[in-house]
Amino acid sequence: MSATAAELISFIHSTPTPFHLVTEAEKLLTESGFSRLDEKDLWAANKLVVAGGKYFYNRNISTTVAFTVGELYKPGGEFKIIGAHTDSPVLKVKPVSAKTAHGYVQVGVECYGGGLWHTWFDRDLTLAGCVVVKEGEGGFVRKLVNIKRPILRVPSLCIHLQSADERLTFAPNKENHMQPILSMVAADLNTEENISEDKRHCSQLLSLLCQELKCEPQHILDMELTLCDTQPGAIWGAGEEFLSSPRLDNQVHCYTGLTALLEHSKDISQD
């Protein structure tokens, strides 16, 4: 597997959250002959890890650990590690996100990490993440969701409603000014009767998730969602020497580390 700028952009665009990144990474690992391990199993006692093997496991579908054991490896020998974090500074949907103001339905969000928050204004935003859905009698399953169209926006105030000083010192309040608009209140009221009694989230948001997940509103038990830009990364410049993309911190290293491991794993006979 070769690492190129175009492939990096494709990888990042397909992994809007840590959940999606881990899922995509594990698909590539499986295709390359890696075997899945379970942390609850006794690896040594059951001889689940042997010389010449390639393995991976995850925690919470948000962290992946992948490794190879060289065919010449002896206990106590050296090993090499590459590390990278799967998360990025984002706007996360609050556990209770239902919010309205001035005739608009908004989604309550909170800032996660040290983001450049002014760059989130006036972008075509969507939602992605993990949703816990009821399944069977007393069971549940975690499902990934990535709504691939613009549904949210954090709008700037129009210029003639700002003073000159406000334009010079753009300093949005994270709690009041970063809450994205989803729809008009009237549209939400029209769908109210068909939605779950769970009032933590607005009916429009639940409807969108149900359309994506093919489930009923009352089956949605919980969710961990983040906002993401629908605009993919790009290679640009007169000589195509620049690359721009969301989540470069730190999906670049997730991608290059994974690519290096997959390339190295093709021949571990001398390791």
Side-chain angles (χ1 to χ4, degrees), residues 1-3 8 11 21 25 28-29 34 64-68 80-85 250-265:
M1 178 179 175
S2 60
L8 169 63
F11 180 83
L21 192 151
L28 295 173
L29 289 164
F34 282 68
T64 290
V65 177
F67 60 95
T68 63
K80 299 175 182 177
I81 296 176
I82 299 175
H85 58 83
N250 190 24
Q251 288 195 13
V252 168
H253 290 149
C254 291
Y255 172 74
T256 54
L258 175 63
T259 302
L261 176 63
L262 293 177
E263 189 65 26
H264 179 77
S265 70

Side-chain angles (χ1 to χ4, degrees), residues 5-44:
E7 288 167 343
L8 169 63
I9 290 174
S10 177
F11 180 83
I12 291 178
H13 192 56
S14 67
T15 56
T17 71
F19 305 115
H20 292 83
L21 192 151
V22 167
T23 301
E24 179 65 18
E26 294 190 349
K27 183 185 78 171
L28 295 173
L29 289 164
T30 301
E31 291 173 352
S32 296
F34 282 68
S35 300
R36 180 186 296 274
L37 294 172
D38 191 324
E39 284 191 277
K40 298 176 183 177
D41 294 335
L42 300 175
W43 298 355

Side-chain angles (χ1 to χ4, degrees), residues 80-94:
K80 299 175 182 177
I81 296 176
I82 299 175
H85 58 83
T86 59
D87 59 342
S88 302
V90 292
L91 296 177
K92 280 197 171 189
V93 175
K94 290 182 177 180

Side-chain angles (χ1 to χ4, degrees), residues 60-137:
N60 194 40
I61 326 179
S62 60
T63 298
T64 290
V65 177
F67 60 95
T68 63
V69 183
E71 293 183 14
L72 303 180
Y73 181 79
K74 302 296 182 183
E78 67 177 16
F79 56 88
K80 299 175 182 177
I81 296 176
I82 299 175
H85 58 83
T86 59
D87 59 342
S88 302
V90 292
L91 296 177
K92 280 197 171 189
V93 175
K94 290 182 177 180
V96 179
S97 71
K99 183 181 179 68
T100 61
H102 308 291
Y104 297 102
V105 175
Q106 296 175 283
V107 176
V109 299
E110 56 190 348
C111 297
Y112 173 85
L116 299 174
W117 304 120
H118 64 279
T119 66
W120 287 79
F121 280 78
D122 302 314
R123 287 188 175 273
D124 296 327
L125 302 173
T126 189
L127 287 170
C130 183
V131 181
V132 180
V133 180
K134 181 180 179 182
E135 188 176 70
E137 293 298 325

